[in-house]
Structure formats: C-alpha cells, structure tokens
Amino acid sequence: MATRNTWRTWRAGVFLAALTPLVVWGWQVANNAAGPEPGRYLLLNIGTGALWMLLLTLSLTPLTRLTRWKGFTLIRRQLGLWTLAYATLHTLSYALFILGLDWAMLGSELVKRPYIIVGMLALIGLAALGATSNRWSMRRLGKRWKTLHRLAYPILGLVLLHFLWVVRADLGEWVMYAAIAALVMATRLPPVARTLPRIRYRLAGT
C-alpha cells in the first residue's frame, strides 16, 4: 500500500513534469535557440501545452476507472490548475509579444481574429473551474459543483476551435489533438464507462 510520502513524491514528480516544458522554452528563448520570433515561439508552445494539460486532466477519470489507481485522482486538481496556468501564460504571451501591451490594438485584433474571443471564453471557463476546485466550493455548491465542472467538456471544444483557427493552413496536428479529444470524450459515454471496469478485470485475469 502506498504511503503518504509516496503520494507526496508522486505529486512532486507531476509538478516538476508540468513545469519542465516552461523552463525548457524559457531557456531556449534566453539562449537564442527559439528561432527568429521567440515571442511567437513561446505563444504557440505554451498554448499547445495548455491543450495537452486539459487533455491529460480529462483523461484522469477514465484512467482511474480502468486501473482503480488512487494516484490519478490525487493529481486531478493539480493538473487542472496547471491547465489554467498554461492558458493564462498563453494569454499573457499574446498581450506582451503580439499586442506589445498596446490595448488599443485589441479591438481591431478581435475583428480580424475572432478566435481570440473563443480563446478568452475558454480562459474564463477555466478560471471558473480553477476558482471552485477546492473543498470549500464543493461543500458550498453541493450538487451544482459537478454540473459546473462539466464545463470542462465545452471548454475543450472551444480550445480545439481556437486551435483550428490558428493552424487552419496545416490541419495534420489539429486532427491528432481532435482524435485524442474524441477518444477521451468517448470514455465518458455511459456504455463505454461501464466497460472500463470489465476491461480492468480481464487484464487482471490475464
């Protein structure tokens, strides 16, 4: 049986794994290894990282059902907050490197690039989930807490739409993420969710 120290080590490992890409990208920018547009390099990579974090967070519930391993449940809030952190850094990168903190440009940018509105809606949704991802909010909201946190699914749709608009000239990468998202979402369907424990029993039997 895993001890408290084991779970602390697991959480610390997840924290370091989530932090590492940011450190690597920052090191590349600092050492002129991020190409001719380091600001755009950070913007795109951090945005993709936010999508990865969201997909990983949503995959934890089906993985728990499949394996019954407590470790996946223990890091769900942590990965959710990392998703919000990456999305916030992505937005700040846009404000700093694209707008140059010139907020007067934002109006024209919204007209030319409506995917920014979609991205902001996703960020607002993630902020709402992050602000209520604590025990006090769970007690306060009661049954409404689960209803609220089901917003993660439409948020995923908004993020994919945002990403599709950004990379519409090259759909190969987007199709890969959309396929992963479809697989994750399929595991939430009741018939599939009921099948996951059976798969676990069969694997245990072999």
Side-chain angles (χ1 to χ4, degrees), residues 20-49 89-90 93-94 97-98:
T20 296
L22 296 175
V23 174
V24 171
W25 297 329
W27 181 90
Q28 289 175 329
V29 169
N31 288 273
N32 299 315
E37 296 184 275
R40 188 172 295 275
Y41 173 85
L42 284 176
L43 174 69
L44 295 177
N45 277 284
I46 294 174
T48 303
L89 288 173
H90 177 62
S93 297
Y94 169 76
F97 301 121
I98 305 301

Side-chain angles (χ1 to χ4, degrees), residues 181-193:
L183 178 61
V184 171
M185 294 300 293
T187 62
R188 299 300 185 109
L189 297 174
V192 179

Side-chain angles (χ1 to χ4, degrees), residues 16 18 67 83 100 107 116 137 150 171 177:
L16 291 174
T67 65
T83 303
I116 298 172
S137 295
R150 289 195 184 100
L171 294 181
Y177 288 118

Side-chain angles (χ1 to χ4, degrees), residues 58-153:
L58 292 176
S59 70
L60 293 176
T61 295
L63 284 173
T64 301
R65 289 174 178 162
L66 183 62
T67 65
R68 293 191 69 183
W69 188 53
K70 182 182 177 182
F72 292 128
T73 302
L74 289 176
I75 63 169
R76 183 163 50 198
R77 179 173 182 267
Q78 183 182 6
L79 281 187
L81 292 176
W82 270 114
T83 303
L84 175 58
Y86 268 74
T88 302
L89 288 173
H90 177 62
T91 304
L92 291 176
S93 297
Y94 169 76
L96 180 61
F97 301 121
I98 305 301
L99 293 182
L101 299 181
D102 182 1
W103 302 110
M105 291 178 55
L106 184 58
S108 61
E109 284 287 298
L110 292 177
V111 173
K112 291 189 296 184
R113 299 175 177 84
Y115 59 78
I116 298 172
I117 299 175
V118 175
M120 290 302 300
L121 289 174
L123 178 62
I124 292 170
L126 289 172
L129 298 187
T132 57
S133 64
N134 51 71
R135 293 180 180 177
W136 182 87
S137 295
M138 292 178 70
R139 292 193 299 267
R140 185 77 174 176
L141 294 173
K143 293 181 179 179
R144 290 174 296 172
W145 187 87
K146 285 189 175 181
T147 302
L148 174 64
H149 279 252
R150 289 195 184 100
L151 282 175
Y153 310 133

Side-chain angles (χ1 to χ4, degrees), residues 6-16 73-75 78:
T6 301
W7 295 131
R8 287 176 179 171
T9 302
W10 164 239
R11 284 171 168 162
V14 171
F15 177 88
L16 291 174
T73 302
L74 289 176
I75 63 169
Q78 183 182 6

